[in-house]
Amino acid sequence: MPEMAEVQRGLQDVVALESRICFIDGRQGRLIYQGYDIRDLAARSTFEEVAYLLWYGRLPTATQLEDLHRRFGELRTLPDELGQRIDQMPVGAHPMDILRTAVSALALFEPEETKPGASSIGGAQRLTAVLPSILGQFHRRRSRLPPLKPRPELSQAAYLLYALVDREPTELESRALDVALILHADHELNASTFAARVTASTLSDLYSAVTSAVGTLKGPLHGGANERVMELLDEIGQVDRTEEVVKAKLVRHERIMGFGHRVYKVEDPRATILREWSRKLGEAKGDLRSYELLRALEAVVHQEKGLYPNVDLYSGSIYSLLGVPRDLFTPIFAASRVAGWTAHVLEEYQDLRLIRPTAKYVGAVDLPYVPVSQRG
Ligand code: SDX
C-alpha cells in the first residue's frame, strides 16, 4: 500500500482552495466579507448590500442597491405549479425538508438556469429572493394564514418576517432580523458551503448546489443547532437549574448546542452582536427570560468546558421574540446563507477544479473469491 499523507478527520485545518469571499480569523475572532469587517456591516449595512457585496466583490452604489431591491421584489413570486406542489406537501414535514424539496423542484420550472455552468448572478438573485416565499407558502398553509403577496416594497428581512408571522414588522423587528441575515450570510468553507462547492465543482448547476447545501445545513452540528438551543432552554427552565442540567449532559458526553466551533478559538464575533440584539429586543418586548437563561448557560459552559458561544446560541432567542415558530429557525439561516452559497458556487465556476479528496484505505486486500454455493 503506497505511503499516504496523514488523515485529517473532518478535513480539519485542510486548506482546500483560495477564495476572496470570506476570511475568518479564528484566533482573533474576526470575520470579514470581501474585505469588510462583519462589525461594520452589521452596524451599518443591510442584507441586500451584503448579498451584492458577496456576489460582486464590492459594495453597491445607491442605484445598484435600488436595482437589487427591485429585482428581489420581482423575483419573489413562485411558479404556480410549484405553489400547488408545496400545498400538497405534508403539513407535518420539517420546513428544512420542504425547503430542500422545493428548491430542487423549482429547477424543473426554470431549466434555463440549470444547464451545466449556465448559472449566473441572476440565478443567485432568484434563489435568494424566492426562499422566503417557499417558506411562507408552506407555513401560511399549515397555519391557515392568508396567502402570501410578493410585497415588493418590503426589504428582504421585512418580507421574510411578513411571510412567516403575517404582520407588519416594526422598524426594530425588521432591523433585528436584517442584522441576523447579515451575520448568517457567509462563513467561508462551512459544511453546507463546502457541499455547494463540491456540487458545483462537477459543473453541476446552481439549483443542485443549493439543494445539496440545504440538506447539509439541516444537521444539528451545523445550522440545526439554533432550534436545539431553544429546546435546551425549555429543559433548563430556570436560571438556577442551569448548572445541574449542563453538568448532567456533559457527564453523558452530550454536546451543548450553540457552543464550540471548528475555527473560532475565542468568541464567535457573530455571537457577540446577536447577544446584544437578544438583549435589546428582549427589553423592547419586556421579555428577557431567554436572554437571562442564555447568559447563565454561557457562564456554566465556559466554566465547565472552556467553550465559547457560536452564532447559533442567541439567534433562536431573537427569532422567538419575533414570533417565528421554532422549526423555522434553521430555514431563516438558509434564507440568509443562500447568498454565500451562491457566491461560492459562482467563484467555483470561475476557477473550476473538481473537488475529489482521497481516503486512506484500511480494509483487507487480495481476498480469494469464494462462489456463493461454497459460502457457509
Ligand atoms: C455552525 O463551520 C462553520 O463555520 C459553521 C457555522 C457557519 O456559520 O456556517 O459557524 C455555523 O454550524 C456553528 C456550530 C453549530 N453547532 C453547534 O452548536 C453544535 C454543538 N457544537 C459542537 O458539536 C462542535 O463544537 C462543533 C461541531 C461545532 C465543532 O466541533 P469540532 O471542531 O469537530 O470539535 P470536536 O468535536 O473535535 O470537539 C473538541 C472537544 C471535544 O472534547 P473531548 O471529547 O476531546 O474531550 O470539545 C468538545 C468535544 O467533546 N466539544 C464540546 C462541544 N463542542 C466541542 N463539548 C460539549 N458541547 C459542545 N458544544
Side-chain angles (χ1 to χ4, degrees):
M1 201 60 68
E3 193 47 39
M4 298 196 79
E6 260 316 293
V7 171
Q8 302 302 330
R9 288 194 65 233
L11 299 183
Q12 177 147 357
D13 301 330
V14 169
V15 180
L17 50 88
E18 289 185 354
S19 173
R20 296 175 176 283
I21 298 172
C22 179
F23 172 55
I24 303 171
D25 181 337
R27 298 207 173 284
Q28 302 296 323
R30 288 195 71 203
L31 173 58
I32 288 174
Y33 293 166
Q34 299 272 19
Y36 294 87
D37 191 296
I38 195 69
R39 289 166 297 191
D40 289 337
L41 296 171
R44 303 166 67 185
S45 81
T46 63
F47 176 70
E48 283 82 351
E49 276 188 279
V50 163
Y52 188 101
L53 172 64
L54 292 171
W55 292 326
Y56 291 93
R58 62 183 185 281
L59 285 169
T61 62
T63 307
Q64 290 163 336
L65 185 57
E66 184 44 42
D67 287 349
L68 182 61
H69 174 72
R70 185 179 40 73
R71 283 295 288 148
F72 277 165
E74 290 164 358
L75 294 170
R76 282 174 182 158
T77 307
L78 294 174
D80 290 343
E81 306 92 322
L82 180 60
Q84 290 151 19
R85 277 164 176 72
I86 292 171
D87 290 347
Q88 290 155 13
M89 293 177 188
V91 289
H94 192 287
M96 281 300 279
D97 294 332
I98 300 293
L99 194 58
R100 185 197 63 233
T101 309
V103 166
S104 182
L106 180 66
L108 304 177
F109 304 109
E110 303 183 350
E112 69 288 349
E113 279 295 341
T114 57
K115 295 188 186 74
S119 298
S120 64
I121 289 185
Q125 291 170 349
R126 170 56 167 169
L127 284 165
T128 305
V130 84
L131 256 56
S133 304
I134 291 172
L135 296 170
Q137 177 84 18
F138 172 69
H139 176 61
R140 283 168 170 260
R141 181 174 69 86
R142 73 172 181 180
S143 313
R144 294 191 174 72
L145 291 170
L148 204 53
K149 297 187 184 69
R151 303 294 305 275
E153 78 283 7
L154 293 180
S155 69
Q156 200 64 3
Y159 177 66
L160 178 58
L161 210 43
Y162 151 76
L164 302 182
V165 294
D166 187 41
R167 59 176 168 76
E168 291 303 319
T170 64
E171 186 57 35
L172 181 72
E173 290 175 326
S174 296
R175 184 60 194 156
L177 187 57
D178 201 19
V179 170
L181 295 180
I182 290 167
L183 294 173
H184 285 82
D186 194 60
H187 212 238
E188 198 223 56
L189 290 190
N190 61 88
S192 53
T193 300
F194 190 64
R197 287 196 79 136
V198 169
T199 306
S201 78
T202 70
L203 260 185
S204 184
D205 65 279
L206 186 66
Y207 287 48
S208 299
V210 171
T211 303
S212 302
V214 173
T216 306
L217 184 72
K218 176 186 170 187
L221 295 188
H222 187 15
N226 54 19
E227 190 178 333
R228 283 164 181 76
V229 166
M230 300 310 283
E231 291 162 5
L232 175 58
L233 296 192
D234 289 348
E235 189 182 341
I236 293 171
Q238 54 200 56
V239 168
D240 61 12
R241 290 198 63 240
T242 307
E243 188 159 350
E244 168 202 342
V245 172
V246 169
K247 282 184 169 177
K249 285 182 177 299
L250 292 176
V251 160
R252 296 193 299 268
H253 296 289
E254 286 179 30
R255 296 300 170 93
I256 313 297
M257 296 290 125
F259 290 91
H261 199 276
R262 175 62 62 80
V263 181
Y264 290 118
K265 301 308 168 203
V266 292
E267 179 163 292
D268 182 333
R270 300 169 297 177
T272 310
I273 298 168
L274 290 168
R275 179 192 294 117
E276 191 44 28
W277 273 97
S278 176
R279 183 191 59 74
K280 202 184 296 185
L281 205 55
E283 270 174 4
K285 292 186 175 282
D287 180 359
L288 284 163
R289 274 171 306 135
S290 295
Y291 174 77
E292 283 157 2
L293 274 170
L294 288 167
R295 296 296 280 146
L297 184 58
E298 273 195 74
V300 173
V301 172
H302 194 260
Q303 162 197 303
E304 296 299 319
K305 284 292 276 196
L307 291 169
Y308 294 95
N310 60 48
V311 69
D312 288 297
L313 187 64
Y314 283 94
S315 55
S317 65
I318 292 169
Y319 305 150
S320 271
L321 287 165
L322 295 175
V324 176
R326 211 170 269 180
D327 66 0
L328 288 167
F329 291 2
T330 306
I332 289 178
F333 193 148
S336 165
R337 187 55 59 86
V338 62
W341 292 332
T342 51
H344 278 270
V345 166
L346 297 174
E347 185 178 67
E348 186 64 34
Y349 287 146
Q350 285 153 14
D351 180 17
L352 196 79
R353 176 90 174 130
L354 179 70
I355 295 175
R356 200 275 186 220
T358 185
K360 179 180 182 181
Y361 180 68
V362 292
V365 289
D366 302 333
L367 294 177
Y369 182 83
V370 178
V372 65
S373 59
Q374 296 169 30
R375 288 175 212 153

